Amino acid sequence: MYHTENNTDKTRMLIDQTEPANDASPLNIERMKPLQARIGVLGVGHHTYWPQFDGLLEEINQKQQVFEERIGKNGVEVVSLGMSDCAETAYELIPKIKAANLDLLFIDMLTYATSSSIAAIFQQVDLPMVMVALQPMEAMDYSRASTYMQLLNDDICAIPEFINVAVRMGRPVPPLVIGTLHNDEAAEQAVADYCQIAKVLRSLKTARIGQMGHVLEAMLDMHTDPTQLSAAFGCHVVQTEPDDVLKHYQAANEGEVEDYVKKILQFFDTPDPQSDPITEKLTEEDLYEAARVGVSLNHFIAEKKLDGLAYYYEGQAESEIRKVVTNFIVGNSLLTAGGFPMCGEMDLKTCIAMLVMDRLEMGGSFAEFHPVDFKEGFVLVGHDGPHHINIAQGKPVLRSLKKYHGKPGKGASVEFTIKAGPITMLGIAQKADGSFKFVIAEGESQNGPIPPTGNTNTRGFFGPDVRTFLTRWFQEVPTHHFALGIGHRAKTIQQVGDFLGIETVIIDQS
């Protein structure tokens, strides 16, 4: 136990040996699990052309091979489905496509193709599909132009026909990537974005999200039906107990705890307190408890095979279980940065939002709105609890809090602001009919002081002005939590929502 003189002395010595914070970026936490996705590529063409033009089929197939190799460079598994060039082939391919367990299907528009080569697939295959038209030449050489050359570059010709048939078969309009096969950065980025989206979709439909305890008392907007969550996103919600962590806490290996203490001090600074009287310099007791609970969380996650956790529990005053559940904060920030989203206040919806952002390599911190600065025109965006420290501006800070405001307990807490630059917020609301809704906004994080309260806070600037923005955000009826990440990725997240059939709103800032 931490009360032993030996453990206290070791922990105090490690705190004293930590280097002061600087403005350098923090070390990155490595991802706990590699991201995965299976992407199919189905070429389409017109069988009548092959006997008419010698060599055309071979060049068409080469186009598809180049595209498949490019997709593979995005860290996904590529399943080549060959080409559909007539109605008969389309029907024959349906069982193969269904058996491939794909997360996304690229329809490679290799030349003109009649819509019969895809209609049956649109009608019978329920899968996110993206139509890609990447012609090999930036422009035809008109002095040497021929029908053969035109057909080799006729990638966009059948797009209207395909979209028309998709809609008539009950599908949404498929998203498009239009450009050239070579030296087209915009097209390559669009393809890379869809590969990331496929990783999001794979993560969502295979995720095991732990649910522990209960929603923080009186937060009625937090309540979520786990079955509805599984229906919308595909994830499985695993029911867990605080005692599942407690047993690992009670059996914690002191060597593992000491290593975890060193890990914490490697990633966090421990400065003296400033203006907030409920903060103090990180104590050896709080550091030890954070490390012991962090070790316990790792064993708990491995035992339950979890990919995320939403939790809140109080326990009786002075009990061992209260000590454990109120000391999740440091461990859950390290876990969140490693790709394991953790949400306090048992917010399952925001746990999903954080997972989406993490799989898009945006970070994804647990956040809500804090006070507005009407002088400079920004709103503080942050929270106590779980944060994605890989997106911190500089080295994040640990402070000991004498009390958690509005909650029981005390202990180590994480403070930082996210990197200056573009930011995106994703809130997942549940509407009166039980369906979900994505509420998204882009803004800017700017450098400047934040309250030294042991909580994260980012100076968020949004257009056209902070009053109007907040009014527009609130009028979309989101829950009060959301995920906060770096970069401007609203359109990419909207595409995730579209593939999942979820209503999506991007807040207008004009």
Side-chain angles (χ1 to χ4, degrees):
M1 299 292 290
Y2 71 83
H3 297 293
T4 66
E5 185 177 346
N6 187 38
N7 283 326
T8 301
D9 290 345
K10 281 184 179 179
T11 307
R12 182 75 260 162
M13 181 176 65
L14 288 167
I15 294 175
D16 292 340
Q17 290 172 350
T18 57
E19 296 292 330
N22 54 49
D23 292 332
S25 296
L27 298 171
N28 271 2
I29 302 289
E30 292 186 6
R31 187 172 289 284
M32 294 169 63
K33 293 181 180 180
L35 299 183
Q36 298 178 329
R38 285 171 60 87
I39 295 180
V41 180
L42 173 65
V44 291
H46 187 33
H47 67 97
T48 305
Y49 294 151
W50 317 143
Q52 290 182 328
F53 299 94
D54 290 340
L56 179 62
L57 178 59
E58 288 72 21
E59 288 204 64
I60 291 290
N61 286 332
Q62 180 62 29
K63 283 173 62 176
Q64 183 170 341
Q65 183 178 343
V66 170
F67 180 59
E68 289 172 357
E69 290 173 354
R70 182 164 300 154
I71 296 171
K73 294 177 181 178
N74 289 287
V76 299
E77 181 182 354
V78 180
V79 179
S80 179
L81 296 162
M83 184 193 300
S84 178
D85 60 3
C86 62
E88 292 83 355
T89 306
Y91 280 98
E92 291 169 2
L93 280 167
I94 289 170
K96 184 177 180 180
I97 296 171
K98 289 183 176 180
N101 190 27
L102 301 175
D103 303 300
L104 185 142
L105 176 65
F106 280 117
I107 301 170
D108 196 0
M109 310 293 290
L110 298 168
T111 185
Y112 172 75
T114 64
S115 50
S116 65
S117 64
I118 198 69
I121 295 169
F122 279 157
Q123 196 271 328
Q124 296 190 38
V125 175
D126 184 14
L127 191 66
M129 299 182 191
V130 179
M131 291 170 56
V132 178
L134 301 177
Q135 64 188 52
M137 300 177 70
E138 188 174 12
M140 290 177 62
D141 182 348
Y142 303 111
S143 65
R144 299 188 305 108
S146 64
T147 301
Y148 184 104
M149 184 184 294
Q150 177 175 322
L151 295 178
L152 194 59
N153 290 273
D154 233 354
D155 301 70
I156 69 165
C157 187
I159 287 177
E161 184 176 341
F162 274 43
I163 289 177
N164 178 277
V165 170
V167 172
R168 293 173 69 183
M169 291 292 176
R171 294 191 62 85
V173 174
L176 304 172
V177 179
I178 297 175
T180 61
L181 190 59
H182 307 287
N183 304 316
D184 188 335
E185 292 184 7
E188 289 184 20
Q189 184 59 57
V191 170
D193 286 346
Y194 283 113
C195 289
Q196 276 197 314
I197 288 171
K199 293 173 185 178
V200 173
L201 298 174
R202 166 58 65 97
S203 292
L204 287 172
K205 71 184 181 184
T206 60
R208 289 170 52 84
I209 304 297
Q211 179 180 17
M212 178 186 292
H214 56 83
V215 169
L216 179 59
E217 179 64 23
M219 285 186 178
L220 302 185
D221 63 326
M222 290 295 96
H223 291 281
T224 304
D225 177 357
T227 302
Q228 193 73 17
L229 206 72
S230 297
F233 299 102
C235 58
H236 175 60
V237 178
V238 182
Q239 302 301 322
T240 67
E241 301 289 341
D243 298 88
D244 295 329
V245 181
L246 177 63
K247 71 177 183 181
H248 293 293
Y249 175 87
Q250 293 171 335
N253 177 278
E254 288 301 331
E256 288 186 75
V257 175
E258 186 173 334
D259 287 343
Y260 206 98
V261 166
K262 294 176 182 176
K263 180 179 181 179
I264 291 172
L265 295 176
Q266 181 183 14
F267 285 98
F268 294 92
D269 184 37
T270 59
D272 291 325
Q274 296 182 33
S275 58
D276 191 342
I278 73 167
T279 68
E280 59 184 334
K281 185 175 176 65
L282 180 68
T283 67
E284 60 265 34
E285 176 181 339
D286 288 347
L287 174 58
Y288 180 84
E289 286 302 327
R292 186 170 175 181
V293 171
V295 168
S296 308
L297 281 170
N298 286 343
H299 287 290
F300 158 73
I301 289 164
E303 178 188 15
K304 298 295 184 180
K305 299 182 175 64
L306 299 179
D307 300 294
L309 178 69
Y311 71 92
Y312 183 77
Y313 193 74
E314 296 188 354
Q316 291 197 353
E318 307 304 323
S319 66
E320 191 174 33
I321 194 69
R322 174 170 288 187
K323 181 187 295 183
V324 172
V325 297
T326 58
N327 277 280
F328 279 13
I329 292 173
V330 178
N332 72 22
S333 291
L334 291 168
L335 287 165
T336 296
F340 183 92
M342 284 187 68
C343 266
E345 300 172 9
M346 225 280 287
D347 188 348
L348 283 165
K349 297 188 291 296
T350 301
C351 191
I352 295 294
M354 291 167 66
L355 185 146
V356 169
M357 281 199 168
D358 176 81
R359 296 333 187 234
L360 291 174
E361 306 287 1
M362 300 172 62
S365 274
F366 191 46
E368 65 187 7
F369 291 116
H370 286 170
V372 177
D373 188 316
F374 290 105
K375 290 183 178 179
E376 296 187 46
F378 66 84
V379 58
L380 288 169
V381 187
H383 207 282
D384 61 349
H387 307 292
H388 203 299
I389 64 174
N390 281 356
I391 61 172
Q393 180 80 35
K395 197 172 184 181
V397 161
L398 283 185
R399 300 187 190 276
S400 281
L401 299 188
K402 300 172 186 177
K403 63 181 76 172
Y404 295 136
H405 66 275
K407 301 170 187 173
K410 61 184 181 62
S413 192
V414 176
E415 175 184 308
F416 69 81
T417 189
I418 72 171
K419 294 176 181 177
I423 57 175
T424 301
M425 305 187 307
L426 168 61
I428 300 181
Q430 190 162 20
K431 301 190 295 183
D433 64 2
S435 63
F436 295 100
K437 175 182 176 180
F438 283 2
V439 183
I440 308 169
E442 295 177 340
E444 201 78 18
S445 167
Q446 294 187 14
N447 289 325
I450 62 171
T453 57
N455 295 175
T456 64
N457 269 297
T458 290
R459 296 159 72 97
F461 288 80
F462 303 92
D465 60 80
V466 67
R467 299 173 194 257
T468 304
F469 167 75
L470 288 172
T471 300
R472 290 174 178 174
W473 176 275
F474 297 148
Q475 286 176 337
E476 292 299 336
V477 201
T479 52
H480 72 280
H481 295 148
F482 47 85
L484 177 64
I486 58 174
H488 281 168
R489 303 294 297 278
K491 291 293 186 183
T492 304
I493 297 172
Q494 182 181 44
Q495 186 63 73
V496 173
D498 289 346
F499 281 144
L500 293 169
I502 292 174
E503 179 187 351
T504 302
V505 173
I506 300 175
I507 302 299
D508 179 19
Q509 297 187 48
S510 59

